[in-house]
Amino acid sequence: MKFSVGCDIGYEIIEPATLIFNIEAIAGGRQRILGETLTITPNLPADEKTATETGNRYLRLTAQPGQLRLRYTAEIELDALHNPPGMIEEVPVARLPLDTLPYLNPSRYCPSDQLARFANRQFGGIAPGFGRVTEICNWINAEVDYLSGTSDTTTTAADTFALRAGVCRDFAHLGITFCRALGIPARFVSCYAWQLHPQDFHAVFEAYLGDRWYLFDATRMAALDGMVRIGCGRDAADTAFATIYGAVNPLPIEVWSNADGNTAEEWTTDAVSVARS
């Protein structure tokens, strides 16, 4: 399946500022970039780096006072891997690949140690595997209200658990936290999401099951098959679309994700397994 994705973001720079962006799609695996463009206005020199472990693509630039705009467009081909959910098992810690072990630990927004007692009481009796992670998503979707403005950049999964309200990043953080508390490696994923309304950068999570990472979205707001991955990491601190050092004011942002060709069917979010690795 092919998708056209992109964003148009801007800032009013008040004083000289350094900005680090993570808005370009990950290249590799079952996500292929057919073509892309990045336009920076004014035309500024930029440093670019692709993280070896995750594939995250970072862009750093320094801007002087005035307006700054970035426009990114990409044509993406997705080849989602579907396996029978009932056949996807959890992996004992003793047999996990070593590079997944950091995703078992508590992190800034995912204090899995604080919610471990609840996670084990609520989900510990469920048969290990893909179905247990799905039940975690079911619980979050049923028990946490999706409400804009209820959280900010300091909100952790423990805060969301107490408040029972949040946005996509909070749903993802809570899912990650519960998984890690149960010994399942889990990581945060930022993405362009087809069928998301209104369009914006979206947040989901991946759990390591069987021999690969599988996508999950507790918000149930977009099709898993149509998610173009931008970045992944321990939590949102590793995948922010913009990290700013200096005084700036954000301008209106536009994000889009459109299916190309005849891709028109509506997919459910957790009915099937979806992996891109």
Side-chain angles (χ1 to χ4, degrees), residues 139-190:
W139 185 92
I140 296 171
N141 188 267
E143 298 295 330
V144 180
D145 295 328
Y146 191 97
L147 290 175
S148 298
T150 55
S151 62
D152 57 28
T153 57
T154 67
T155 301
T156 70
D159 299 325
T160 302
F161 178 75
L163 184 62
R164 299 296 171 93
V167 294
C168 60
R169 62 174 265 157
D170 305 306
F171 279 54
H173 283 153
L174 195 52
I176 291 167
T177 299
F178 288 152
C179 283
R180 291 178 184 172
L182 295 168
I184 305 169
R187 64 188 186 183
F188 188 93
V189 176
S190 60

Side-chain angles (χ1 to χ4, degrees), residues 16-138:
T18 296
L19 303 91
I20 303 171
F21 296 98
N22 180 203
I23 58 175
E24 298 169 276
I26 289 175
R30 293 175 177 269
Q31 178 168 300
R32 292 182 286 276
I33 300 174
L34 305 179
E36 62 182 349
T37 62
L38 175 66
T39 304
I40 304 171
T41 307
N43 186 16
L44 298 174
D47 300 319
E48 297 186 71
K49 172 71 175 179
T50 299
T52 303
E53 179 185 346
T54 62
N56 295 2
R57 301 165 67 191
Y58 298 104
L59 177 80
R60 180 180 63 186
L61 55 85
T62 297
Q64 300 302 314
Q67 276 203 5
L68 171 69
R69 295 211 70 89
L70 283 83
R71 182 178 178 86
Y72 173 72
T73 65
E75 300 297 319
I76 307 293
E77 184 174 47
L78 300 180
D79 178 21
L81 175 67
H82 296 271
N83 287 321
M87 302 296 291
I88 303 172
E89 300 179 344
E90 292 178 24
V91 183
V93 174
R95 292 196 288 109
L96 282 169
L98 291 177
D99 60 3
T100 69
L101 298 185
Y103 300 104
L104 285 173
N105 300 329
S107 59
R108 175 180 175 182
Y109 293 113
C110 301
S112 48
D113 49 345
Q114 296 179 27
L115 296 181
R117 185 171 63 177
F118 173 84
N120 281 277
R121 184 171 67 246
Q122 183 70 30
F123 308 110
I126 300 172
F130 186 93
R132 177 150 69 165
V133 183
T134 298
E135 285 303 313
I136 288 173
C137 292
N138 290 344

Side-chain angles (χ1 to χ4, degrees), residues 112-273:
S112 48
D113 49 345
Q114 296 179 27
L115 296 181
R117 185 171 63 177
F118 173 84
N120 281 277
R121 184 171 67 246
Q122 183 70 30
F123 308 110
I126 300 172
F130 186 93
R132 177 150 69 165
V133 183
T134 298
E135 285 303 313
I136 288 173
C137 292
N138 290 344
W139 185 92
I140 296 171
N141 188 267
E143 298 295 330
V144 180
D145 295 328
Y146 191 97
L147 290 175
S148 298
T150 55
S151 62
D152 57 28
T153 57
T154 67
T155 301
T156 70
D159 299 325
T160 302
F161 178 75
L163 184 62
R164 299 296 171 93
V167 294
C168 60
R169 62 174 265 157
D170 305 306
F171 279 54
H173 283 153
L174 195 52
I176 291 167
T177 299
F178 288 152
C179 283
R180 291 178 184 172
L182 295 168
I184 305 169
R187 64 188 186 183
F188 188 93
V189 176
S190 60
C191 59
Y192 295 104
W194 179 53
Q195 296 182 339
L196 181 68
H197 300 290
Q199 273 290 319
D200 202 345
F201 293 112
H202 193 43
V204 296
F205 73 96
E206 289 180 321
Y208 191 87
L209 302 165
D211 61 351
R212 65 188 67 245
W213 293 97
Y214 286 90
L215 278 168
F216 293 88
D217 183 6
T219 72
R220 308 285 169 75
M221 294 177 66
L224 288 170
D225 275 295
M227 292 185 182
V228 173
R229 295 158 74 247
I230 302 171
C232 59
R234 294 165 299 174
D235 52 35
D238 291 340
T239 61
F241 76 87
T243 304
I244 300 167
Y245 299 89
V248 308
N249 290 326
L251 299 174
I253 183 173
E254 181 184 3
V255 178
W256 60 88
S257 179
N258 301 308
D260 293 342
N262 297 319
T263 308
E265 62 178 297
E266 297 283 331
W267 285 295
T268 56
T269 56
D270 275 335
V272 294
S273 62

